[in-house]
Amino acid sequence: MNINIVCPHCLEVSSVEKKESTISQKCTKCGDSLLDAKPITANAVILEHFMKNSDLPIVVDFWAPWCGPCISMAPHFEKAALAMPLQAQFLKINNDNEQALGSKFLIVSIPAVLLIKEGKEIARFTGARSNKQIQKWVRQYI
Ligand SMILES: [Zn+2]
């Protein structure tokens, strides 16, 4: 079965075979690795693109530079992302820069982490969590 993945490097859509374990999976457009699961810095346009095109669940961290718990969660969010290549795509959105998006998703406190599947929000949590807690939470939905 093939699934569509948005390349973290060029943001083009790649259709790749879904396998249980993958040693190498390259973007069909730019040739870079689709296994590079570092969180992607996104904005409203990029999020929309992922929501329309990615077959993987999207995990979005709404954060801001002045928010202590956001800063302390950042390395945990990154570790969770790196542990889950081809299972979910992790995005980070600076809520201060994207206030319209923040109000569209009713973000009232940050960090707020939303899980979006098939274009719809299906779960969220607020407040900092650890790497393990984030992974466990995401795995419920994949
Ligand atoms: Zn690419």
Side-chain angles (χ1 to χ4, degrees), residues 22-47:
T22 311
I23 302 153
S24 143
Q25 192 71 268
K26 296 215 184 302
C27 171
T28 54
K29 305 290 185 329
C30 73
D32 251 329
S33 178
L34 293 174
L35 299 179
D36 186 354
K38 205 166 176 272
I40 298 156
T41 301
N43 55 28
V45 175
I46 294 174
L47 176 62

Side-chain angles (χ1 to χ4, degrees), residues 15 63 77 140:
S15 174
W63 71 287
F77 190 77
Q140 299 173 74

Side-chain angles (χ1 to χ4, degrees), residues 7 16 25-26 28 66 70 81-82 86 110 122 126 131 139:
C7 172
V16 299
Q25 192 71 268
K26 296 215 184 302
T28 54
W66 49 263
C70 299
L82 292 173
L86 300 183
I110 52 173
I122 58 166
T126 53
N131 166 24
R139 284 186 205 285

Side-chain angles (χ1 to χ4, degrees), residues 63-76:
W63 71 287
W66 49 263
C67 155
C70 299
I71 302 300
S72 64
M73 187 174 77
H76 292 275

Side-chain angles (χ1 to χ4, degrees), residues 5-14 27 30 32 34 50 89:
I5 295 177
V6 177
C7 172
H9 306 284
C10 68
L11 302 180
E12 295 285 346
V13 181
S14 268
C27 171
C30 73
D32 251 329
L34 293 174
F50 271 84
Q89 295 199 284

Side-chain angles (χ1 to χ4, degrees), residues 43-45 47-48 62-63 93-108 114 124:
N43 55 28
V45 175
L47 176 62
E48 175 87 21
F62 285 87
W63 71 287
I93 291 182
N94 183 327
N95 195 50
D96 282 3
N97 296 343
E98 296 290 339
Q99 290 184 5
L101 191 67
S103 37
K104 183 179 153 197
F105 282 102
L106 308 170
I107 305 299
V108 287
L114 275 58
R124 77 166 64 187

